Amino acid sequence: MKGKINYSVTDGIAILEVDNPPVNPLSDGVRHGLIESMEKAESDDSVVGIVLTGKGRSFIAGADISEFGQQIEGPSIHDAFEKIEKSTKPVIAAINGSALGGGLETALCCHYRVSSKQGFIGLPEVNLGLLPGAGGTQRLPRLVGPAEALKIMLSGRHIPAVKALDMGVIDSLSEGDIVEDAVAFAKDVAEKNETHPLVRNLNEKVLAARGDENIISEARALAAKTRKGQFAPGKIIQCVEEAINLDDFDEGMKKEAEYFIECLLNPQREAMIHIFFGERAASKINDVPKETPKMDINKAGIIGSGTMGGGIAMCFANIGIPVHIVDQDEENLKKGLAAIERNYKFMVDRGRMSAEQMEKTFGLISSGLSYEEISDVDIVIEAVYENLDLKLEIFKKLDEAVKDDAILASNTSGLDVDALADCTKRPGKVVGTHFFSPANVMRLLEVVRGEKTSNETLATIMSLGKVLKKAPVVSLNAPGFIGNRMLFGYTTQANKLLLEGALPHQVDSALENFGMSMGPFRMLDLVGLDLGWRARKLSGTESPITAKINDALCDLDRYGQKNGKGFYNYVEGSRAPHPAPENEAIYEQVSKDNGFERREISDQEIIDRCILALVNEGAKILEEGVAQRSGDMDVVGDMDVVYINGYGFPIWRGGPMQYANMEGLDVISAKIDEFAKNDPEFWQKADLIGSLSEVKGRFGDAPAPEDRKPVSGFNKSSVAGNL
Ligand code: 3HC
């Protein structure tokens, strides 16, 4: 059994301490322990009140997520909660840290809630494809009102104790020792009050919401905007409708249980939980021991004040680390800082930060023209454009200018990190940190481990990534790393579909309906078609067939969003794409010139070819061991975490590899074989797909090889290769 309850009595108050490290989920041992301890306290006449708290940094982090989808023995959460709610003695939740999901639901069953200042609450089940299924959807609306409860449940956000006090979720804030304060609170209410309040009986706010259709329609609009394609949000809204409209609390609980099961059985739940554990596993690296020392990062330097440099600087400032940007061009620097200021102002205008917060945060960003100004920083992230010679020059200078033990990182999307390391006297301190644009928003951080990157550097960057609120994933130093290597096949297929007869908006809408946040042609227009075109021209090489349409558009000055026309047309001041019928003649001509006969293409073919290109390349990465850790399920998770946090893959499908697992690798294999009949050169099926499909296996069943295949082929500029 996992977890237990530590029981003690102080001054007539029983203290029940949940002990299930590290974050105290409600595993079977905790549920057993809660029932036993509640019975013990109830039957002890010397006990007048009960305090429930958590050991360590968490109160209770919710149900035990690893139990979902498993056969559960013993008492349920509901059995344990019934003991709390039916207690004749006042039960006080002493929230010492995270009270999330089932953790907050436990607290909502208690008669009173006291929290330390570090405490925070939330119902994040929606992030796991679930709804709060232990009374959260029925009790929270009774405390904070249905409209607020819906916002909390649909966002899954964490709410700090001070705010929770304002909202009325907690009754009192503890300034000192939370358990001592809760014991005093318990003694006080036990002495003064004959009866103790239960949230289930507070009907005023739900009754007031009856007949107010706006609450539900606003929640539906919010879910449509922020949780496109997800199943659980609709069910959460239905639960709250029941809370509003049913007279009997227990009837509402029955409905909640019914809808919870629907979520539990929905494949989205498995997919989203795969990502929850995948993100956590990604931060562990097999050959880097947990106890590896990490450097303190108290000050950072950034080279380059462009979009990436500015966004990365914001990441540091946002968490309170001073950061200094160096750019060789004063005008660029001014523009870059103005862009950062605009971003912060936008956040203030949207109510996402206060004017004071902005002043404080923006004040942490300084700038200048000389490398000497960053001599004392703990890390420098170089974020100039993708040109190896330029980066080599910068790394040589940084190696001289910056203190010896500082980390030198490159925000490269595909250049050779070993080449950068080898031009310095500190190769162990050199690492790739590939942020995604906009860097202050996107969660993915691809951490590129060079041959000589030290364990200390790697451990420091992984922990810094988490502090910066990113999802860090390690890749070996191989062309395209993980994400862009997979992307190459995806965009190749999108371009081939265009040559074969599809139109950009058809490809984009098929993939957006599949769940991708942005189709490939909208993405290309956003990035700029001219980047690849210029790089190809500079290199003097013949463009690949898949870039011919792109080149033809650029020849007609159609560069994408930046000049209002690319694959789509744009009206000034708007990013909304409008189909460009004038391009169709170009597509037809390029198709004809390259021997393609245009035909009708179904949306399903578009989805299959683009997504299976990702899957096939992902399987090859698994075979080669480019993803950093050993060949178990975790590495499969790495690729999925990359795609969800950096490339707009729908979280509810669990990432490309999980999608393939859930479709069945035999189905995937057969489709690839079919595509290979027309395009054998592109569709070279990964051996792993063939072998796993024969045994009806899944990615993650077969270990990747211990020895990875040698990888080579870095370009001097990574732009042309990626687009
Ligand atoms: N169940 C099982 N394991 C959990 C867990 C949970 N609810 N929450 C966290 N863990 C595990 C993690 O997998 C990780 O394991 P590992 O060390 O083996 O990788 C370990 O606990 C530590 O987690 P983090 O690395 O995430 O620790 P942090 O300190 O960064 O964050 C946290 C702590 C904020 C509590 C974060 O872990 C978290 O958000 N947890 C999930 C909370 C949640 O979603 N709760 C709802 C669960 S569903 C539910 O309650 C249904 C109910 O309504 C019926």
Side-chain angles (χ1 to χ4, degrees):
M1 271 202 294
K2 252 178 85 188
K4 62 179 190 304
I5 301 286
N6 302 322
Y7 184 93
S8 62
V9 179
T10 300
D11 274 354
I13 303 297
I15 300 169
L16 278 53
E17 185 191 55
V18 183
D19 185 357
N20 190 14
V23 293
N24 300 328
L26 293 161
S27 315
D28 51 356
V30 173
R31 300 193 300 271
H32 267 286
L34 269 176
I35 292 173
E36 268 175 32
S37 311
M38 284 302 302
E39 284 171 353
K40 193 167 167 185
E42 190 68 41
S43 62
D44 182 344
D45 290 341
S46 69
V47 166
V48 296
I50 299 158
V51 164
L52 176 61
T53 192
K55 186 172 181 182
R57 66 182 199 257
S58 181
F59 171 67
I60 296 171
D64 185 335
I65 300 170
S66 62
E67 285 183 355
F68 292 127
Q70 313 289 327
Q71 192 64 39
I72 301 302
E73 307 272 311
S76 70
I77 290 185
H78 295 282
D79 298 331
F81 284 9
E82 201 181 337
K83 289 279 172 202
I84 298 175
E85 251 197 348
K86 292 203 167 147
S87 166
T88 58
K89 301 171 184 178
V91 186
I92 290 86
I95 300 175
N96 53 303
S98 49
L100 297 173
L104 176 57
E105 290 172 305
T106 311
L108 293 179
C109 286
C110 298
H111 301 99
Y112 306 95
R113 287 154 294 281
V114 178
S115 178
S116 69
K117 278 196 165 165
Q118 300 75 43
F120 58 94
I121 60 139
L123 291 175
E125 285 86 344
V126 70
N127 296 327
L128 306 170
L130 288 170
L131 56 83
T137 67
Q138 305 302 300
R139 290 193 178 89
L140 194 62
R142 285 177 158 77
L143 262 192
V144 301
E148 194 57 50
L150 277 163
K151 282 187 207 146
I152 294 173
M153 290 188 277
L154 292 174
S155 67
R157 73 179 196 272
H158 295 175
I159 299 166
V162 178
K163 182 101 197 280
L165 180 70
D166 278 353
M167 289 176 154
V169 180
I170 59 170
D171 302 292
S172 165
L173 206 58
S174 155
E175 302 277 345
D177 183 300
I178 172 75
V179 175
E180 275 175 22
D181 286 351
V183 167
F185 190 101
K187 276 166 52 182
D188 189 45
V189 290
E191 200 179 298
K192 282 193 197 142
N193 303 348
E194 286 204 346
T195 58
H196 303 284
L198 281 178
V199 177
R200 61 154 59 222
N201 298 328
L202 307 175
N203 290 326
E204 204 179 312
K205 287 186 172 148
V206 283
L207 287 177
R210 257 187 209 175
D212 182 349
E213 282 168 15
N214 284 341
I215 296 177
I216 297 302
S217 58
E218 278 168 19
R220 288 210 184 101
L222 178 69
K225 190 168 158 215
T226 58
R227 301 250 168 213
K228 195 176 146 215
Q230 295 185 22
F231 180 75
K235 293 287 149 189
I236 290 175
I237 296 170
Q238 265 181 285
C239 285
V240 175
E241 279 185 287
E242 309 288 6
I244 294 172
N245 295 322
L246 290 171
D247 288 326
D248 183 353
F249 176 86
D250 289 315
E251 285 303 311
M253 289 293 286
K254 274 191 206 149
K255 286 286 175 192
E256 183 193 81
E258 212 177 277
Y259 301 146
F260 183 79
I261 298 288
E262 282 184 43
C263 292
L264 200 63
L265 297 178
N266 191 290
Q268 293 192 5
R269 188 267 308 158
E270 184 188 331
M272 290 169 88
I273 288 183
H274 163 71
I275 292 301
F276 176 86
F277 286 119
E279 278 190 10
R280 275 142 190 91
S283 60
K284 299 181 186 84
I285 307 157
N286 282 356
D287 58 340
V288 178
K290 214 174 154 192
E291 49 289 345
T292 303
K294 298 178 191 86
M295 284 173 59
D296 287 336
I297 303 290
N298 297 315
K299 195 171 175 196
I302 307 284
I303 306 296
S305 59
T307 317
M308 288 312 290
I312 299 169
M314 287 176 76
C315 295
F316 282 95
N318 291 348
I319 54 142
I321 299 183
V323 55
H324 189 82
I325 308 178
V326 175
D327 199 303
Q328 58 176 11
D329 183 305
E330 200 163 357
E331 269 311 299
N332 277 351
L333 201 52
K334 270 193 200 151
K335 275 194 215 152
L337 285 172
I340 296 175
E341 194 172 8
R342 264 200 314 279
N343 276 338
Y344 279 129
K345 279 201 174 127
F346 180 78
M347 286 161 78
V348 173
D349 292 345
R350 290 280 169 110
R352 291 195 208 136
M353 76 183 339
S354 66
E356 298 78 62
Q357 275 171 322
M358 167 172 168
E359 199 183 334
K360 202 170 149 200
T361 312
F362 189 47
L364 289 171
I365 303 178
S366 55
S367 63
L369 301 172
S370 155
Y371 285 13
E372 276 154 31
E373 295 156 18
I374 50 170
S375 60
D376 62 338
V377 299
D378 304 305
I379 182 170
V380 185
I381 299 183
E382 160 281 304
V384 303
Y385 67 91
E386 289 288 81
N387 179 297
L388 186 62
D389 292 335
L390 175 65
K391 288 188 191 246
L392 286 169
E393 196 187 311
I394 291 173
F395 267 69
K396 276 184 212 153
K397 282 194 202 158
L398 285 174
D399 198 30
E400 293 302 321
V402 181
K403 68 179 183 188
D404 289 346
D405 59 348
I407 292 177
L408 303 184
S410 174
N411 174 52
T412 175
S413 60
L415 295 178
D416 185 356
V417 171
D418 289 337
L420 298 175
D422 287 343
C423 80
T424 71
K425 294 189 289 296
R426 57 179 106 185
K429 297 266 175 202
V430 175
V431 65
T433 47
H434 181 201
F435 288 78
F436 287 69
S437 184
N440 53 313
V441 177
M442 298 292 279
R443 286 191 68 230
L444 179 61
L445 175 63
E446 237 180 358
V447 176
V448 187
R449 179 183 196 175
E451 282 293 337
K452 295 177 190 152
T453 305
S454 72
N455 282 358
E456 189 194 43
T457 302
L458 203 55
T460 304
I461 294 291
M462 294 307 280
S463 126
L464 175 68
K466 209 173 162 191
V467 175
L468 293 176
K469 301 197 168 64
K470 300 289 170 203
V473 177
V474 180
S475 166
L476 285 183
N477 183 39
F481 310 139
I482 300 176
N484 278 348
R485 173 165 165 192
M486 286 164 76
L487 184 71
F488 184 75
Y490 173 83
T491 47
T492 298
Q493 278 308 308
N495 281 306
K496 285 199 168 181
L497 287 157
L498 201 57
L499 286 163
E500 289 171 35
L503 291 173
H505 62 265
Q506 189 202 350
V507 175
D508 285 349
S509 64
L511 288 163
E512 285 165 16
N513 289 337
F514 171 83
M516 299 299 289
S517 61
M518 190 184 278
F521 294 106
R522 277 180 64 202
M523 185 179 77
L524 285 164
D525 265 2
L526 177 72
V527 175
L529 310 188
D530 56 324
L531 291 186
W533 175 64
R534 282 184 218 284
R536 285 187 289 275
K537 275 191 157 186
L538 261 178
S539 71
T541 51
E542 162 86 15
S543 290
I545 221 167
T546 46
K548 298 271 187 202
I549 287 181
N550 188 315
D551 287 357
L553 293 178
C554 287
D555 288 339
L556 294 168
D557 290 340
R558 300 190 69 98
Y559 299 155
Q561 269 191 30
K562 62 175 73 165
N563 71 338
K565 51 190 184 172
F567 284 105
Y568 295 92
N569 291 328
Y570 301 86
V571 287
E572 212 179 316
S574 162
R575 287 169 181 267
H578 300 280
E582 65 268 42
N583 284 351
E584 288 176 26
I586 303 171
Y587 306 149
E588 277 164 25
Q589 191 60 47
V590 180
S591 294
K592 196 169 158 216
D593 292 349
N594 290 282
F596 288 93
E597 204 168 304
R598 294 179 72 80
R599 62 181 170 92
E600 282 280 316
I601 295 179
S602 72
D603 287 358
Q604 192 58 48
E605 181 176 344
I606 292 171
I607 294 167
D608 283 343
R609 281 174 53 183
C610 291
I611 302 300
L612 297 199
L614 286 178
V615 172
N616 198 33
E617 201 59 38
K620 289 179 186 170
I621 290 179
L622 268 183
E623 285 169 4
E624 291 171 12
V626 169
Q628 179 52 44
R629 289 156 317 102
S630 73
D632 52 19
M633 190 62 197
D634 294 348
V635 185
V636 176
D638 277 7
M639 280 178 280
D640 289 333
V641 170
V642 163
Y643 258 76
I644 277 160
N645 291 310
Y647 294 84
F649 200 95
I651 186 167
W652 51 271
R653 291 196 189 268
M657 309 312 278
Q658 174 72 6
Y659 167 74
N661 271 342
M662 290 174 84
E663 287 287 290
L665 292 187
D666 49 344
V667 176
I668 301 291
S669 175
K671 283 186 178 176
I672 293 180
D673 290 344
E674 202 52 41
F675 297 146
K677 287 182 189 160
N678 292 328
D679 188 358
E681 197 189 328
F682 180 89
W683 291 104
Q684 294 178 25
K685 189 167 72 181
D687 295 342
L688 197 58
I689 295 182
S691 57
L692 286 173
S693 70
E694 275 166 27
V695 293
K696 290 226 169 263
R698 289 162 67 100
F699 290 129
D701 288 350
E706 283 288 305
D707 299 322
R708 61 192 175 89
K709 293 179 188 170
V711 279
S712 60
F714 278 107
N715 293 327
K716 279 204 150 191
S717 157
S718 65
V719 176
N722 296 338
L723 300 177

